[in-house]
Amino acid sequence: MSKVSVIVPYHKGPSYLEECVKSIENQGLSDLEILIVDDRGGHDVPESVLKAEHVRHIVLEEEFGAKGRQEIPVRPFGVAVARNTGVRYASGDYLYFLDADDYLWGDALARLVKLADEKKAKVVTGNRYSTWFRPISFTFDKAGADTKIDGIVPLQGNTLKNVLNRRFTVQHLLIQKEYYDSMKFEFDVYNTFYSDVPVVARMFAGAAGDMWADGGSIYVWRRRNDPVHMPALCQQKGKWRSGEFIEAYEAACKCLEEDGGPQKAYLLGALNWWLCRFTLRKFPRQIKGKRAVRYTKNLQKIKDEEFGQMNKRFRFLQRMELKCIRRGNYRMAALAGKLVHIWRKKCGIFGKPIQYWRFLDKLVFQKMRIREDWVFVESFFGKSYSDSPKYLYEYLYDKYGDQYRFIWCLNRRTREVKGRPSICRRHSLRYVYYTARAKYFICNTRQPAWFKKRKETVFVETWHGTPLKKLAFDLEDIHAVSQDHKKLFYSQSKEWDYLVSANRFSTDVFERAFCFPREKIIETGYPRNDILYSEHAGRIAEEVKRELGIPKGKRVILYAPTWRDNQFYEKAKYKFTLVLDLERMRREFGNDSVLLLRTHYYIADRLELSGLDDFVYNGSGYGDVSRLYLVSDICITDYSSVFFDFANLKRPLLFFAYDLEDYKEEIRGMYLDMEKELPGPVVQTNDELIDALRHLDEVTEQYRERYERFYDKFCHIDDGNAAERVVQAVFGGR
């Protein structure tokens, strides 16, 4: 095969670069060079990349003067400069452009090289898929295909147009170096975002008849899920983005007018489609004034028939908006744009009452004075009267009940609530009213995305557990429904005034994973664990047994599995398959034991427990899991944080992690080495679990020292007085 020069512009993101280079190395091409063109000075390029067999590291230097065009400062670095520099250093028969945060799937590049050699082609390409995931987590059912090229076909006509309609870029193009040099292609270094548009237009126009596509060659365009610390170029706010686009568009059109070749109509059609889509997306926020006139003139150049055909692909209001922009009627276009915005909201949550209550919140409630004696409390999105918010509330009620008015967010009323606080449903009008006026807001999950804390409000975030699974900014892949997880976490955590931590380990994790100031973290232990040290613990355990109907004298085995990020129906509704063999458990231990089942509140499935009524007791709907710990003699869990709390009782713990390898490597990742640090055995089959239960005394003795070390590290602060310490930290001055 011919030699290939792969040009990889690099700015930041060492883990992305490492996986990108690894995917190139795995192509099995012996005659290969990988040119990493770096504008960061080389200080964060991984050692494994620098040591790779085919890698050549090129560090950009400033080669330009102080100013270029009058209106735009010179950009001595960037993608365009990196690509131009890479081409100068390239020595291969073919050039291939790959972004540092993307990667190749399978033998993508090898297939292109083989096709180019066989067809003597000037340009070849393949399919491109977009994903949020690393190569280890990539699946086609969670990826989107830009185009679907089947087999090996000439890149011309509608095939060419379909490709360009989705990606007008040099990504995933293998280009004959001799052809590239003869055309004297050059990326515009003053265009940050769209420098490759004119190059691609000229390239395809000049190579007509010598272009091919292989549908089996797959380029994976990886989206970045951390726009806060590691944004991709397309996630950065570009001051010149709309100006740069129109310059690139006009330059590409000019090239095609001079020498468009036989593919001119298809190339212009794709360019005009990009122009229409971009105009709708950026008007009127970025496209206004003289720039709007420029867009209007270019839209007017599109033939009426072609414009009409493209316009049919948009919704009615978008068609109306685009027509108005084309005519220069910007006021009417802006009105149509607002209607489009409203329509999109209506398809989402506009039709729900909360959208109207937010309107009242902004205009009325936020302007009313803060009530200094109001304390608003919420636990698990209003689903239960439980967790640390419950025990903070009860401590405040017992000690200072006459000084405050308490408001509880509860979607269902419950008799368990102490005292007579005001009750409201989440996202109701009263909810919005109380959250806008209460001085104190106590919560154990993230607040609603629409919630905007007032300066006078004191927000106390208790969180809901010591983390075993990686959180927020420590996550590589987000397998949950929304990929805005990190962005939302960042903006919401900025509104917390206090974050409760159970131990030093949690403090370290929260500071890093939540990007939260250490001085705002109060290391007090969890108020929810105060009950575990209560002098009334025995009496409470008897009450819980009566409530659940658990027979006296039987050993209680608590099974508390968590949810899986990658198995869901919709947001906050997760699938769950019960792997534990309940029937076998009953046969083995039903004479002297019962199983108390407690699933995570995210899990939407109703588990089939018919015929097991005398052995399995479902505590999933029980409000306060801390009370369940008191009745449990043994706890079986997987990756749930319940074992950190249960360990306060120093009772046996077993870990039924049947999908351990998938979970720790692909789904979520761990802070602890489960097999070396946890205070009990990690088992992966029903046979192993039952064997551990049969020999529980031996297992307990085997893990005694590790349990003590674990207790000293994670449970040493909890002593029954955590609620008092939190209240002193937050309310002490008052």
Side-chain angles (χ1 to χ4, degrees):
M1 282 190 178
S2 302
K3 183 177 181 181
V4 183
S5 298
V6 182
I7 298 168
V8 183
Y10 176 67
H11 179 60
K12 61 181 178 178
S15 63
Y16 291 94
L17 179 63
E18 200 166 17
E19 288 166 342
C20 172
V21 170
K22 187 177 179 180
S23 75
I24 304 170
E25 291 278 332
N26 289 341
Q27 294 299 302
L29 296 170
S30 56
D31 208 357
L32 172 74
E33 64 176 358
I34 305 171
L35 304 171
I36 309 294
V37 189
D38 174 19
D39 65 6
R40 294 276 287 180
H43 65 271
D44 67 345
V45 175
E47 194 68 23
S48 61
V49 170
L50 296 175
K51 289 181 178 179
E53 181 182 356
H54 301 102
V55 166
R56 186 177 179 187
H57 186 212
I58 304 165
V59 179
L60 286 176
E61 296 179 358
E62 291 200 31
E63 301 174 356
F64 304 92
K67 287 189 177 180
R69 301 179 187 177
Q70 266 189 327
E71 73 275 16
I72 307 176
V74 158
R75 300 183 179 92
F77 303 133
V79 174
V81 180
R83 286 173 175 163
N84 290 336
T85 304
V87 171
R88 289 204 305 271
Y89 281 90
S91 60
D93 302 303
Y94 294 104
L95 300 173
Y96 184 79
F97 296 97
L98 176 65
D99 287 355
D101 45 6
D102 301 335
Y103 54 87
L104 302 174
W105 186 252
D107 58 348
L109 182 55
R111 294 178 70 106
L112 294 188
V113 176
K114 181 182 178 182
L115 177 61
D117 281 348
E118 288 177 354
K119 302 292 186 181
K120 306 298 181 186
K122 293 178 181 176
V123 181
V124 293
T125 189
N127 280 320
R128 189 181 78 163
Y129 281 76
S130 61
T131 186
W132 294 95
F133 303 117
R134 295 173 294 163
I136 192 175
S137 304
F138 177 83
T139 56
F140 285 101
D141 60 337
K142 289 187 177 181
D146 285 348
T147 51
K148 289 191 176 180
I149 301 168
D150 295 321
I152 296 174
V153 295
L155 188 60
Q156 59 188 22
N158 286 326
T159 302
L160 174 62
K161 188 176 179 181
N162 290 337
V163 168
L164 293 179
N165 277 345
R166 297 305 302 264
R167 48 182 167 104
F168 222 108
T169 172
V170 292
Q171 289 175 349
H172 203 30
L173 297 184
L174 184 73
I175 308 153
Q176 193 182 84
K177 179 72 159 53
E178 184 181 351
Y179 168 63
Y180 191 97
D181 291 339
S182 68
M183 295 293 286
K184 297 180 180 179
F185 294 121
E186 190 83 10
F187 294 95
D188 185 356
V189 299
Y190 299 103
N191 194 313
T192 306
F193 300 99
Y194 306 102
S195 62
D196 48 357
V197 172
V199 173
V200 171
R202 279 189 63 210
M203 187 180 297
F204 284 158
D210 293 317
M211 302 187 297
W212 289 81
D214 181 356
S217 174
I218 296 169
Y219 179 105
V220 182
W221 179 50
R222 183 178 174 188
R223 301 169 183 262
R224 297 196 180 192
N225 58 32
D226 184 1
V228 178
H229 303 107
M230 201 69 67
L233 186 64
C234 61
Q235 292 172 323
Q236 296 174 5
K237 293 182 179 180
K239 181 179 179 182
W240 307 100
R241 186 171 294 189
S242 59
E244 287 181 354
F245 176 83
I246 201 67
E247 287 179 0
Y249 169 83
E250 290 173 350
C253 288
K254 185 178 179 182
C255 294
L256 295 177
E257 287 169 6
E258 293 173 356
D259 185 15
Q263 302 296 323
K264 179 178 178 179
Y266 297 103
L267 292 167
L268 275 175
L271 275 171
N272 291 334
W273 172 241
W274 277 99
L275 175 66
C276 292
R277 288 168 59 195
F278 190 91
T279 305
L280 285 174
R281 195 163 65 247
K282 299 297 180 181
F283 182 87
R285 187 168 49 88
Q286 287 193 27
I287 300 175
K288 52 189 175 183
K290 293 181 179 179
R291 194 170 293 161
V293 174
R294 200 167 167 184
Y295 273 81
T296 295
K297 288 180 178 178
N298 281 289
L299 286 170
Q300 289 171 347
K301 290 178 184 178
I302 302 173
K303 294 179 181 179
D304 291 343
E305 184 180 353
E306 182 186 356
F307 182 80
Q309 289 297 320
M310 286 190 298
N311 220 15
K312 289 179 181 178
R313 298 166 70 178
F314 298 112
R315 294 181 181 273
F316 170 75
L317 289 172
Q318 290 175 310
R319 294 201 298 268
M320 179 179 169
E321 181 182 1
L322 198 59
K323 285 179 181 178
C324 289
I325 297 170
R326 193 174 186 234
R327 294 170 186 158
N329 189 347
Y330 304 125
R331 183 176 295 179
M332 197 67 183
L335 176 60
K338 287 181 180 179
L339 291 174
V340 169
H341 179 73
I342 291 172
W343 177 257
R344 284 175 178 163
K345 285 287 186 182
K346 187 175 181 180
C347 291
I349 60 172
F350 188 81
K352 296 181 180 179
I354 183 61
Q355 200 67 23
Y356 300 101
W357 309 154
R358 289 173 60 187
F359 180 76
L360 282 173
D361 181 48
K362 184 177 180 180
L363 293 184
V364 181
F365 301 157
Q366 292 284 331
K367 296 180 180 180
M368 301 174 74
R369 70 180 180 88
I370 287 284
R371 294 299 301 263
E372 298 287 334
D373 59 341
W374 285 13
V375 180
F376 187 90
V377 191
E378 178 181 323
S379 178
F380 295 122
F381 312 112
K383 293 182 178 181
S384 62
Y385 174 68
S386 64
D387 209 67
S388 291
K390 168 187 173 180
Y391 292 97
L392 277 175
Y393 159 71
E394 291 189 350
Y395 180 86
L396 279 167
Y397 182 84
D398 289 339
K399 296 289 184 179
Y400 311 104
D402 58 339
Q403 297 182 31
Y404 295 99
R405 179 187 176 186
F406 298 98
I407 303 104
W408 257 95
C409 169
L410 286 170
N411 298 333
R412 291 183 180 179
R413 287 184 173 270
T414 174
R415 296 177 182 177
E416 301 169 9
V417 180
K418 194 168 191 174
R420 299 184 64 184
S422 301
I423 305 292
C424 65
R425 292 173 59 88
R426 199 167 196 257
H427 290 175
S428 64
L429 176 59
R430 297 179 71 206
Y431 181 94
V432 177
Y433 173 74
Y434 286 134
T435 54
R437 300 202 63 193
K439 173 70 174 181
Y440 300 95
F441 193 135
I442 299 172
C443 185
N444 68 341
T445 57
R446 288 184 291 132
Q447 64 270 38
W450 55 264
F451 175 80
K452 298 299 178 187
K453 186 179 82 73
R454 296 171 70 173
K455 290 181 180 180
E456 305 94 327
T457 303
V458 177
F459 196 108
V460 183
E461 175 59 57
T462 68
W463 202 238
H464 48 270
T466 299
L468 168 66
K469 301 168 288 188
K470 288 187 177 179
L471 297 171
F473 287 96
D474 284 344
L475 290 169
E476 288 283 349
D477 291 334
I478 308 295
H479 287 271
V481 180
S482 172
Q483 290 295 333
D484 289 333
H485 182 73
K486 294 182 181 180
K487 184 179 178 181
L488 285 171
F489 226 117
Y490 183 78
S491 60
Q492 290 176 299
S493 66
K494 293 300 178 188
E495 298 192 332
W496 302 346
D497 295 289
Y498 297 94
L499 173 59
V500 177
S501 167
N503 44 61
R504 180 56 52 88
F505 169 81
S506 295
T507 301
D508 294 338
V509 170
F510 291 162
E511 180 184 25
R512 182 184 65 252
F514 295 167
C515 300
F516 195 75
R518 198 179 190 89
E519 59 272 17
K520 290 186 176 183
I521 301 175
I522 49 178
E523 206 171 286
T524 58
Y526 277 141
R528 69 184 185 189
N529 290 336
D530 287 353
I531 191 175
L532 305 182
Y533 294 89
S534 170
E535 59 184 11
H536 306 297
R539 177 178 57 79
I540 296 170
E542 292 301 319
E543 288 177 5
V544 175
K545 284 186 176 181
R546 285 197 300 271
E547 290 168 1
L548 296 175
I550 296 174
K552 290 184 179 181
K554 287 215 172 187
R555 181 178 67 168
V556 179
I557 304 170
L558 174 65
Y559 179 46
T562 191
W563 48 287
R564 270 62 176 166
D565 303 61
N566 62 341
Q567 299 175 14
F568 51 82
Y569 296 107
E570 58 182 88
K571 187 176 181 180
K573 289 188 177 181
Y574 287 81
K575 301 177 183 179
F576 183 72
T577 302
L578 192 64
V579 176
L580 183 66
D581 190 338
L582 299 179
E583 186 60 49
R584 186 176 174 190
M585 288 281 289
R586 180 171 68 171
R587 289 198 306 269
E588 294 281 348
F589 309 109
N591 291 333
D592 64 349
S593 304
V594 296
L595 185 81
L596 178 56
L597 181 63
R598 171 73 177 198
T599 58
H600 194 278
Y601 65 94
Y602 270 176
I603 293 172
D605 296 300
R606 290 189 176 183
L607 302 178
E608 179 54 50
L609 303 174
S610 58
L612 297 166
D613 298 343
D614 60 337
F615 178 67
V616 180
Y617 292 81
N618 194 349
S620 301
Y622 194 85
D624 189 354
V625 70
S626 297
R627 290 169 63 89
L628 298 183
Y629 299 152
L630 291 175
V631 305
S632 305
D633 300 290
I634 308 162
C635 177
I636 303 172
T637 185
D638 42 24
Y639 320 109
S640 172
S641 64
V642 298
F643 68 89
F644 288 102
D645 301 326
F646 191 82
N648 282 280
L649 297 171
K650 296 187 177 181
R651 297 173 186 173
L653 277 158
L654 302 177
F655 298 88
F656 184 38
Y658 52 86
D659 55 352
L660 177 60
E661 293 305 315
D662 288 341
Y663 204 94
K664 71 180 181 181
E665 296 296 337
E666 180 179 345
I667 299 175
R668 192 77 173 263
M670 308 286 182
Y671 288 117
L672 303 180
D673 186 329
M674 291 186 66
E675 295 174 304
K676 293 181 180 179
E677 298 182 72
L678 297 191
V682 178
V683 297
Q684 294 185 263
T685 66
N686 278 284
D687 289 340
E688 292 175 337
L689 178 61
I690 287 170
D691 185 66
L693 286 168
R694 283 176 183 161
H695 303 92
L696 192 61
D697 291 341
E698 297 171 29
V699 169
T700 302
E701 185 59 34
Q702 180 185 348
Y703 284 85
R704 186 179 302 281
E705 289 186 12
R706 190 190 289 186
Y707 206 133
E708 290 174 359
R709 290 196 301 271
F710 184 89
Y711 182 91
D712 291 341
K713 182 176 181 179
F714 296 103
C715 307
H716 67 284
I717 296 179
D718 283 321
D719 58 2
N721 300 304
E724 181 181 359
R725 288 191 287 270
V726 173
V727 169
Q728 284 299 315
V730 177
F731 297 82
R734 180 176 169 82

